[in-house]
Amino acid sequence: MNPQHWEEHIAAGNVPHAILLAGNRGTGKKAFARRLATRYLGLTGETALTNCPYYTETADYAVENVRNISRAVNLQAYGRGRRCVVFFDAHNLTAQAQNALLKSLEEPPDDTLFLLTGNEAGLLPTVRSRCMTLRFGAKPVA
């Protein structure tokens, strides 16, 4: 899937439950994850995610953090529509943390989008296999 066509996919309800935005640093993965989350949640504006209770982003790689996020997402499942969770630099998650995330990726709550950014090589094959992968290349040289 081409990253430019996501608005059409979101409008059509054709979004996978987990997407891995893979590539090297400086390729725009984090900015794209935030734009995608904003659109998925039906928000507008650059600061829309700042106070949104249905959006979580983290770069905390501890297993307990992943467990807490997974519990919170499952509790929210009955209260509202769409939710989005972003794990920045997910390749830094420990194997234990990735395994804790795996349960949510295998049985995702309805209307929840998980976005993971980072390098594919640092993720367990079981995590990678449950995500659709969008690969980001290097930015053009000016």
Side-chain angles (χ1 to χ4, degrees):
M1 260 183 206
N2 186 332
Q4 275 70 22
H5 296 100
W6 277 102
E7 283 192 47
E8 296 169 21
H9 293 287
I10 291 169
N14 186 21
V15 180
H17 69 280
I19 303 171
L20 169 59
L21 307 174
N24 294 325
R25 287 188 176 269
T27 55
K29 299 179 306 293
K30 288 182 182 182
F32 181 75
R34 288 184 178 121
R35 280 194 317 271
L36 180 57
T38 301
R39 290 184 180 115
Y40 180 76
L41 294 171
L43 304 172
T44 57
E46 291 184 24
T47 59
L49 296 173
T50 305
N51 296 314
C52 181
Y54 308 109
Y55 174 75
T56 303
E57 69 177 46
T58 187
D60 181 344
Y61 311 116
V63 66
E64 199 54 40
N65 180 57
V66 174
R67 288 180 182 144
N68 289 337
I69 289 172
S70 294
R71 276 192 291 270
V73 166
N74 283 316
L75 288 175
Q76 287 180 353
Y78 301 103
R80 186 197 182 257
R82 294 180 170 177
R83 288 160 316 284
C84 185
V85 179
V86 181
F87 288 93
F88 290 125
D89 298 321
H91 58 274
N92 290 328
L93 291 167
T94 64
Q96 278 185 310
Q98 289 185 49
N99 282 320
L101 177 60
L102 194 56
K103 173 93 170 127
S104 293
L105 295 178
E106 289 173 334
E107 299 172 18
D110 290 339
D111 295 323
T112 301
L113 174 61
F114 291 94
L115 298 172
L116 289 73
T117 71
N119 297 319
E120 292 174 83
L123 292 170
L124 297 173
T126 50
V127 171
R128 287 194 318 262
S129 70
R130 283 153 181 85
C131 298
M132 183 181 133
T133 302
L134 288 178
R135 290 180 180 88
F136 285 69
K139 290 183 178 180
V141 177

